[in-house]
Amino acid sequence: MNAAVMPASTRPHVGFWQIWNMCFGFMGIQFAFGLQNANMSRIFQALGANMDDIAVLWIAAPLTGFIVQPLVGHYSDRTWNRLGRRRPYFLAGAILTSLALVLMPRSPALWAAAGLLWILDASINISMEPFRAFVGDNLAPAQMPKGYAMQSFFIGVGAVVASMLPWIFTRFGVSNIGTIPDSVRLSFDTGAVVLAVTMLWTIVSTREYPPDQLHTFGDSTGQAEAVRPGSARHAQLRGMVWLLAGALGMILVWKFAIDKQVYLLAAMLGFWGLALIVYGGRSGAGLFSTVMRDIDDMPGRMRQLVPVQFFSWLALFAMWIYTTPGVTRTHFHAMVATDATYNDGANWVGVLFAAYSGFAALAAILIPVVARRIGLARCHALNLALGAIGLASFPVLRNPDWLLASMIGVGFAWASIVSLPYALLADSVPSRKMGVYMGIFNFFIVIPQLIAAAALGAVVKGLLGGEPIYALVVGAASFVIAGACSLRVK
């Protein structure tokens, strides 16, 4: 795509292979995520983490996303150099993520693994957030569903291989015994190489529109949909309400001896209140004021998508945290995280995660066809319903082999979650703020993950009898709510 010299009133349509190259690096990103999602609970347990602490150890993933994504979005909107607008962040993220992948399975202790998860997830986010904006920048609105579907396809392919790698290496004779087996270490090393190669392919094989040209296209300069006048007013009053809610939450946790992890949930409310108080509705041009103002002025469609994202990702986070402990305990009857039976069960979870990713790659081909017939929002609701059926079946199907069938529905839901909301959003935000709005949109991915990290452990322990398999039923209910909310998106 010779974007630098092609004047046009609208962005020209590009060919299949141009979209392919544009999205190819996302396979490497998902390779890293696939290894993280399928193996971090295993690594934490192997290094001595208690079941009750697993959720809070995962807090690094959403918290780094909460911090990194809007920062990267804000600055990538304002970047232009020899590599372009988004691609400098692809390169930096690829280098940092590859290093973190090599180090993670060599963690000498639980604290080291927890710290490396912060580094790994922050590094992934440096590359991932601009990738969403990259498609929105370079494709015409009519091609955005294809672009995000292509990303979904590569997400599926990358996660299939990444999730299965420990199982594959074990089948080829690599040791699956030990605190962190050689099969896991070799899988993470392979992931580092795949990430570097795929990201470099996208960086070298694609071009970007210079900002001056991008903003002249008639299909990319629309302003965000208007919000009611004065939406930024009373920010300090709203902040006081949130701050008091957080303080009250902490008092209740202390008084009624609720699980200490719930303190985090109360702290989140207080933190948001403080942010609103500091912001105060001011009109400054600094990073903090700009992001807070953009949150207040987010497009109407984005507001409608907030609960859809919230409940979808609450379900996913429940699955990523509790599938390994749930399946190893319920289906493999393993109670010790370092014995052979547990490692066999953990490897099988890797196969299950690979299965849903594989089904997602196939679903990515079908979803655009269905979406054209019934609309993006209805198609998304349908796919989330399939995901709910898949997660709800886990406690019912006691033969672990049959769980592969459950992953069909999860695969359709996953393919839809990582594509259709972004297609719905991308043509409703102005090109000048594509990066920052993609980052803000991802707030509503990381906030439910923070809530899951703060509250799911207490829910499993206090309401679900300490049985992690039932956390997946909570995930199924979240998918149902998300699907219902999707039907309200206009």
Side-chain angles (χ1 to χ4, degrees), residues 416-463:
S416 191
I417 288 167
V418 297
S419 60
L420 294 188
Y422 295 95
L424 284 163
L425 175 69
D427 63 351
S428 70
V429 300
S431 61
R432 295 179 187 275
K433 290 184 175 291
M434 182 68 72
V436 72
Y437 269 125
M438 286 294 179
I440 291 171
F441 193 51
N442 284 336
F443 279 177
F444 307 105
I445 294 174
V446 301
I447 289 172
Q449 293 179 26
L450 286 168
I451 292 173
L456 268 181
V459 170
V460 170
K461 182 179 179 180
L463 299 179

Side-chain angles (χ1 to χ4, degrees), residues 23-24 64 91 111 307 341 461 480:
C23 299
F24 188 63
T64 54
L91 181 60
W111 66 266
T341 304
K461 182 179 179 180
V480 171

Side-chain angles (χ1 to χ4, degrees), residues 396-427:
V396 179
L397 301 175
R398 293 301 174 128
N399 184 333
D401 293 342
W402 279 101
L403 297 178
L404 288 169
S406 303
M407 288 303 181
I408 297 174
V410 175
F412 271 81
W414 174 238
S416 191
I417 288 167
V418 297
S419 60
L420 294 188
Y422 295 95
L424 284 163
L425 175 69
D427 63 351

Side-chain angles (χ1 to χ4, degrees), residues 39 47 68 147 149 158 198 219 254 279 281 317 419 432 436 441 455:
N39 293 284
L47 292 173
V68 171
T198 56
D219 58 9
W254 169 75
Y279 164 52
F317 208 56
S419 60
R432 295 179 187 275
V436 72
F441 193 51

Side-chain angles (χ1 to χ4, degrees), residues 232-308:
R233 294 178 185 172
H234 310 301
Q236 291 181 324
L237 177 60
R238 287 183 285 138
M240 287 298 299
V241 172
W242 283 104
L243 185 60
L244 289 173
L248 179 61
M250 288 190 175
I251 292 171
L252 292 175
V253 172
W254 169 75
K255 183 174 179 60
F256 295 102
I258 302 172
D259 194 296
K260 62 182 183 297
Q261 295 177 3
V262 184
Y263 275 116
L264 176 63
L265 186 58
M268 289 166 53
L269 301 180
F271 175 81
W272 176 241
L274 283 174
L276 285 170
I277 291 171
V278 173
Y279 164 52
R282 62 173 56 93
S283 58
L287 169 63
F288 177 73
S289 295
T290 299
V291 172
M292 293 295 291
R293 188 165 56 253
D294 287 337
I295 292 173
D296 261 332
D297 295 340
M298 71 175 69
R301 181 179 290 179
M302 186 172 172
R303 293 178 185 275
Q304 294 172 343
L305 286 166
V306 165
V308 179

Side-chain angles (χ1 to χ4, degrees), residues 11-254:
R11 280 168 289 189
H13 284 215
V14 300
F16 173 85
W17 291 111
Q18 289 169 299
I19 298 177
W20 174 283
N21 292 337
M22 193 183 301
C23 299
F24 188 63
F26 221 91
M27 182 170 70
I29 293 174
Q30 190 55 39
F31 215 95
F33 261 131
L35 289 168
Q36 173 182 299
N37 293 339
N39 293 284
M40 283 313 305
S41 291
R42 174 184 191 171
I43 290 173
F44 286 151
Q45 286 189 285
L47 292 173
N50 295 322
M51 179 73 67
D52 297 340
D53 296 329
I54 290 177
V56 77
L57 286 168
W58 269 89
I59 196 172
L63 208 61
T64 54
F66 193 83
I67 297 168
V68 171
Q69 289 183 5
L71 288 175
V72 172
H74 175 84
Y75 286 114
S76 70
D77 282 341
R78 292 158 172 77
T79 296
W80 183 257
N81 58 34
R82 292 177 61 186
L83 278 179
R85 191 183 193 191
R86 315 294 182 185
R87 289 176 298 162
Y89 298 89
F90 298 170
L91 181 60
I95 294 170
L96 294 171
T97 304
S98 295
L99 290 173
L101 284 171
V102 171
L103 293 174
M104 175 60 77
R106 293 166 175 83
S107 300
L110 181 60
W111 66 266
L116 277 169
L117 181 57
W118 285 80
I119 297 171
L120 175 60
D121 208 84
S123 303
I124 293 172
N125 276 298
I126 289 172
S127 291
M128 184 184 71
E129 195 284 331
F131 246 109
R132 299 294 191 190
F134 189 59
V135 169
D137 288 343
N138 292 296
L139 293 183
Q143 286 196 300
M144 285 182 187
K146 292 182 180 179
Y148 288 115
M150 183 70 78
Q151 282 192 354
S152 180
F153 171 78
F154 280 124
I155 286 170
V157 171
V160 166
V161 182
S163 300
M164 289 188 69
L165 273 183
W167 180 83
I168 292 171
F169 284 133
T170 300
R171 303 285 285 188
F172 278 91
V174 178
S175 174
N176 194 44
I177 300 172
T179 303
I180 301 179
D182 289 344
S183 59
V184 175
R185 293 184 180 184
L186 188 56
S187 298
F188 274 72
D189 293 345
T190 304
V193 175
V194 170
L195 176 79
V197 170
T198 56
M199 291 294 284
L200 286 173
W201 179 275
T202 289
I203 291 169
V204 172
S205 64
T206 59
R207 296 293 181 268
E208 298 184 71
Y209 294 111
D212 290 344
Q213 183 183 10
L214 177 62
H215 302 328
T216 64
F217 288 133
D219 58 9
S220 66
T221 56
Q223 297 300 309
E225 298 161 348
V227 294
R228 64 186 182 276
S231 64
R233 294 178 185 172
H234 310 301
Q236 291 181 324
L237 177 60
R238 287 183 285 138
M240 287 298 299
V241 172
W242 283 104
L243 185 60
L244 289 173
L248 179 61
M250 288 190 175
I251 292 171
L252 292 175
V253 172
W254 169 75

